[in-house]
């Protein structure tokens, strides 16, 4: 049983039976410079219920489309699974947007620490019109 898993410069393992076996014991997941898609991460987070720390550093493909957590039903199920998540590290993700950051915050309500070093959070003009009217 692994409690901590760190993958660096890997293509994501999307085999659900692998993640199902690890899901109960895994407390920390670090993906650094990995090629991971929104669907692959969603599938992993739907199976992983006890994460305390999640690191998604320099995962370009994950943030590029801006559609992570766009399925509200899946996002709510992931939110339930991430109830123990206290540490989120999103360092070095140049495609992280304010909308995605908001979705991450909504999905991780018990978060105590957030790191975004090296991120240039992109802004959507629609957000400014809605929340910062002139």
């Amino acid at each position: 049983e692994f409690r901590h898993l760190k993958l660096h410069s890997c293509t994501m393992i999307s085999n659900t039976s692998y993640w199902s076996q690890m899901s109960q014991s895994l407390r920390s997941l670090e993906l650094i410079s990995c090629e991971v898609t929104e669907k692959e991460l969603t599938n992993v987070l739907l199976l992983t219920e006890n994460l305390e720390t999640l690191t998604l550093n320099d995962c370009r493909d994950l943030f590029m489309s801006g559609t992570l957590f766009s399925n509200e039903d899946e996002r709510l199920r992931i939110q339930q699974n991430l109830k123990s998540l206290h540490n989120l590290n999103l360092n070095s993700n140049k495609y992280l947007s304010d909308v995605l950051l908001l979705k991450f915050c909504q999905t991780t309500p018990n978060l105590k620490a957030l790191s975004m070093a090296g991120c240039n959070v992109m802004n959507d003009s629609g957000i400014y019109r809605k929340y910062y009217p002139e």
Side-chain angles (χ1 to χ4, degrees), residues 57 62 79 85 105 117:
N57 285 1
L62 182 61
Q79 179 179 337
L85 191 77
C105 291

Side-chain angles (χ1 to χ4, degrees), residues 5 7 11-23 39-41 43-45 47-48:
L5 179 63
L7 301 174
T11 300
M12 192 63 184
I13 301 166
S14 57
N15 182 330
T16 55
S17 64
Y18 171 80
W19 290 105
S20 294
Q21 290 175 355
M22 293 188 56
S23 65
K39 188 63 180 164
E40 290 168 335
L41 182 65
N43 288 340
V44 168
L45 295 179
L47 295 169
T48 310

